[in-house]
Amino acid sequence: MSECQVKEQLTAAMKDAMRNRDKVRLGTIRLALAELQRIEVDEKSIDDTRALAALDKMAKQRRDAISQFESAGRTDLSDQEKLELAVIHDFLPSQLSTEEISQLVSEAIRESGAESMRDMGKVMGVIKPKVQGRADMNQVSQTVKQLLG
């Protein structure tokens, strides 16, 4: 069974970070690899989609921590989280623009046959696999609400 490409990219980047003595990058990549290893043990295997979902979750955790640290006046800690977030973003696909998200949501609404806010779950079920790791799910959710409301 071959490894997923995301995991292979992380492993290669970890070796580069070790050679370059880049402690922040190395630490963040090790965290990501540990998370992928945990998922692999729990779920018996891991594919790129699942790996990207895990990295997306890690990015969201960093964004949440940044806002909390900044509101508490802890710029030292928020700066560290920003550095880690930048490393994680290196392994995620390029982010979708607002227009691309709107277009994908419109397609998902048509595809799911959604007519009102009651159908939001159907729309999110269709769109989530298409935007995983490429868009902030809060932004996607807001767009769905706007277009259904």
Side-chain angles (χ1 to χ4, degrees):
M1 175 170 43
S2 67
E3 289 186 47
C4 72
Q5 287 182 339
V6 174
K7 191 172 177 185
E8 289 173 6
Q9 290 171 348
L10 283 164
T11 303
M14 180 180 70
K15 291 173 186 172
D16 288 341
M18 290 169 91
R19 277 188 220 104
N20 297 330
R21 291 181 168 80
D22 186 343
K23 289 181 181 180
V24 173
R25 188 169 179 80
L26 179 61
T28 305
I29 292 169
R30 282 183 171 159
L31 284 172
L33 283 170
E35 178 63 15
L36 296 184
Q37 183 71 33
R38 185 194 63 75
I39 292 168
E40 205 167 21
V41 167
D42 290 350
E43 300 175 10
K44 307 293 185 240
S45 69
I46 190 165
D47 60 2
D48 282 334
T49 305
R50 185 66 177 98
L52 288 175
L55 289 176
D56 192 37
K57 181 179 177 184
M58 289 179 70
K60 182 183 184 313
Q61 290 170 336
R62 298 307 179 285
R63 285 191 297 271
D64 292 346
I66 289 167
S67 67
Q68 290 175 0
F69 288 141
E70 285 179 349
S71 67
R74 293 295 308 266
T75 56
D76 55 329
L77 294 174
S78 74
D79 290 345
Q80 176 68 27
E81 295 289 332
K82 287 176 185 175
L83 292 172
E84 290 180 9
L85 181 60
V87 172
I88 293 167
H89 274 288
D90 289 346
F91 299 96
L92 289 171
S94 60
Q95 296 294 297
L96 296 170
S97 70
T98 305
E99 295 79 28
E100 290 170 319
I101 292 171
S102 293
Q103 183 178 358
L104 286 170
V105 168
S106 295
E107 290 171 13
I109 289 171
R110 279 194 301 278
E111 194 177 315
S112 67
E115 297 173 3
S116 69
M117 284 299 292
R118 288 192 313 255
D119 300 322
M120 185 171 174
K122 289 182 193 174
V123 177
M124 292 302 286
V126 170
I127 196 154
K128 189 171 184 177
K130 295 178 182 178
V131 300
Q132 188 72 53
R134 298 172 55 207
D136 179 13
M137 290 309 290
N138 287 335
Q139 183 181 6
V140 173
S141 175
Q142 293 300 320
T143 306
V144 171
K145 287 176 185 173
Q146 286 175 339
L147 295 177
L148 285 178

